[in-house]
Amino acid sequence: AQSVSQHNHHVILSEAASLELGCNYSYGGTVNLFWYVQYPGQHLQLLLKYFSGDPLVKGIKGFEAEFIKSKFSFNLRKPSVQWSDTAEYFCAVIGRNDYKLSFGAGTTVTVRA
Amino acid sequence: NAGVTQTPKFQVLKTGQSMTLQCAQDMNHNSMYWYRQDPGMGLRLIYYSASEGTTDKGEVPNGYNVSRLNKREFSLRLESAAPSQTSVYFCASNYPGQRDSPLHFGNGTRLTVT
């Protein structure tokens, strides 16, 4: 069975600081990878996705993620965060021929002005 | 274009009561899903419907039933609510056959069982 592990439960940082959220997965086959963001009181929205090709993926709002196949990782990064990036971030993985998207437990990011 | 619409937004039930959560999507997606979100546990799949006329269990199906009424609608029923079912429920949909088809989520239903 596939599983997703997010390293940090809660991250607190100041505006303009750099952000990196860790994500590791386990799955015995080819996967598609996603990062979703949930702003306070809202539903989940897609931040970025990886299916194939360039392992460095750029998403919305200045976020990017790097797929390292050998490490089964898909870490999310942003060079300079803003207060509006305060949200919960979820890593998710699905097998190429599967229907079941598995989510990590989520990382709450609090950005202080 | 409303996307994925869930009703109700909030609900309080007493233990043993039943209720149905409604979900509809207007994106002509083939597949629909019900997740529950609990603190520190991320989202867990309850049931999904790969296509109209089919439903399958996810990670945590016990205590729930689903109905794929048509291509647009996918409902989740709690026959006898328990406090452990207090959670936020999200419906989602997508085209799983397309490689770049992420899930589109509804706004969620916050359910409290007392």
Side-chain angles (χ1 to χ4, degrees):
Chain A
Q2 62 205 45
S3 65
V4 183
S5 175
Q6 291 186 236
H7 306 163
N8 309 97
H9 178 63
H10 193 181
V11 173
I12 302 172
L13 57 166
S14 300
E15 277 193 310
S18 64
L19 172 70
E20 180 161 0
L21 302 181
C23 173
N24 286 89
Y25 68 93
S26 65
Y27 187 78
T30 304
V31 296
N32 297 331
L33 298 154
F34 305 83
W35 275 97
Y36 282 85
V37 60
Q38 185 178 31
Y39 297 104
Q42 297 187 25
H43 63 284
L44 277 78
Q45 303 170 44
L46 182 68
L47 204 53
L48 49 78
K49 59 191 178 186
Y50 172 80
F51 289 92
S52 63
D54 189 344
L56 185 61
V57 179
K58 295 193 182 298
I60 60 172
K61 303 186 181 184
F63 285 91
E64 64 179 31
E66 185 175 12
F67 171 51
I68 303 179
K69 189 175 181 179
S70 61
K71 295 185 178 180
F72 297 91
S73 69
F74 190 54
N75 293 352
L76 181 71
R77 297 194 291 256
K78 185 170 184 178
S80 177
V81 296
Q82 300 173 313
W83 176 82
S84 58
D85 293 323
T86 293
E88 191 161 15
Y89 294 81
F90 294 93
C91 182
V93 62
I94 187 169
R96 278 289 167 88
N97 297 310
D98 201 356
Y99 290 98
K100 301 177 188 178
L101 186 66
S102 294
F103 286 85
T107 299
T108 301
V109 173
T110 301
V111 180
R112 292 178 172 163
Chain B
N1 190 345
V4 180
T5 303
Q6 288 182 236
T7 56
K9 291 184 179 180
F10 301 94
Q11 183 72 50
V12 179
L13 293 177
K14 294 184 178 179
T15 297
Q17 287 185 317
S18 63
M19 78 160 295
T20 300
L21 281 65
Q22 306 288 352
C23 175
Q25 52 91 9
D26 61 5
M27 296 173 283
N28 203 34
H29 285 164
N30 292 336
S31 297
M32 299 184 73
Y33 309 79
W34 277 104
Y35 285 87
R36 58 178 289 173
Q37 182 181 19
D38 302 289
M41 304 188 77
L43 279 81
R44 293 179 292 170
L45 183 63
I46 304 170
Y47 269 94
Y48 68 100
S49 171
S51 61
E52 187 178 355
T54 69
T55 61
D56 285 284
K57 296 179 180 179
E59 302 170 67
V60 289
N62 291 345
Y64 305 95
N65 284 301
V66 290
S67 294
R68 183 74 182 267
L69 303 171
N70 48 55
K71 190 170 187 179
R72 290 187 64 248
E73 298 173 286
F74 188 41
S75 63
L76 178 72
R77 183 160 178 83
L78 287 70
E79 290 291 351
S80 179
S84 61
Q85 294 177 305
T86 293
S87 186
V88 181
Y89 292 85
F90 287 98
C91 178
S93 68
N94 73 341
Y95 281 122
Q98 289 187 358
R99 295 303 182 215
D100 59 346
S101 178
L103 288 176
H104 295 259
F105 286 88
N107 286 328
T109 296
R110 186 173 295 274
L111 175 66
T112 302
V113 183
T114 62

